[in-house]
Amino acid sequence: MAAHREQIVTAAARRFRECGFDGISVADIMKEVGLTHGGFYRHFSSKEELVAATAGRAFSEIIEQFQRVADEAPGDRLEAVMCFYLSQRHHDHPGFGCPLAALGGELARKSASVKEVVTRGESRVLDFLSALAPGKTKALRRTQAIVALASMVGGMVLARGSSGSGLRKEVLHTIATAVPATMSQT
């Protein structure tokens, strides 16, 4: 039973980020993992409960990715994370990326229980970024982390909304390089 729940959450976390919450049905997710639609209700009381579980999973996944990138960075760890986030690969594969860039607008309209999970996820991401951010005080590092996260999410949303590869590349590159450069001056 636990293994099936894990399969459902893993598949749904990816598919929601690819298609949006309304872009894929519970039946489609269950079919993808080889289970029946009726079996869904043995694991979750509603699609909204599944959304909450997948939001938590997606934040954990992005933080794990950030940690790997930061650990392997030869130089500025925050800049490395920002470059990773603002990459063509992340742009092209939203199913394996940040839930904020893939689902931000939709998450804003979800229930209080989903928003609580999102708030905890955002806080975890900001704590991680704060540890990498420059600044002499904890408050300044937190401010830098908020600026970095907002820039990364906004940049990815702008890039994904563009039909032109030239503008997309310009947006991703500009934010990945300009924001860390500005932060290092504080």
Side-chain angles (χ1 to χ4, degrees):
M1 185 107 163
H4 285 162
R5 181 182 170 92
E6 179 67 20
Q7 287 177 302
I8 296 165
V9 171
T10 299
R14 180 179 48 82
R15 299 293 281 152
F16 285 151
R17 284 177 280 177
E18 290 173 347
C19 304
F21 297 122
D22 294 332
I24 187 156
S25 68
V26 167
D28 291 335
I29 292 167
M30 296 302 285
K31 183 178 179 182
E32 186 172 315
V33 297
L35 300 171
T36 65
H37 183 220
F40 172 81
Y41 295 100
R42 283 186 228 126
H43 303 280
F44 301 95
S45 62
S46 64
K47 186 175 182 180
E48 196 75 359
E49 184 182 338
L50 175 61
V51 167
T54 62
R57 168 66 56 80
F59 279 106
S60 292
E61 289 174 0
I62 197 70
I63 291 168
E64 287 172 12
Q65 292 172 25
F66 285 175
Q67 186 66 61
R68 226 177 1 263
V69 169
D71 288 346
E72 295 172 3
D76 184 321
R77 293 162 33 114
L78 179 59
E79 184 175 356
V81 167
M82 291 187 74
C83 286
F84 166 79
Y85 189 102
L86 294 161
S87 67
Q88 189 67 45
R89 182 170 187 243
H90 184 205
H91 176 277
D92 293 346
H93 301 284
F96 298 98
C98 178
L100 295 172
L103 299 165
E106 291 182 68
L107 289 168
R109 292 183 289 278
K110 286 297 180 187
S111 68
S113 62
V114 171
K115 286 183 179 181
E116 287 174 26
V117 173
V118 171
T119 299
R120 284 193 303 271
E122 287 175 353
S123 292
R124 290 175 52 215
V125 170
L126 288 170
D127 290 345
F128 181 86
L129 295 174
S130 292
L132 303 180
K136 294 180 183 185
T137 66
K138 184 176 181 179
L140 179 55
R141 289 188 298 276
R142 179 69 170 196
T143 297
Q144 301 282 38
I146 291 169
V147 169
L149 182 59
S151 298
M152 292 186 309
V153 172
M156 188 55 67
V157 169
L158 287 172
R160 286 184 177 155
S162 171
S163 65
S165 66
L167 179 58
R168 177 179 55 241
K169 289 177 184 176
E170 179 183 14
V171 166
L172 294 174
H173 174 75
T174 299
I175 294 170
T177 57
V179 173
T182 303
M183 289 180 180
S184 67
Q185 296 172 4
T186 58

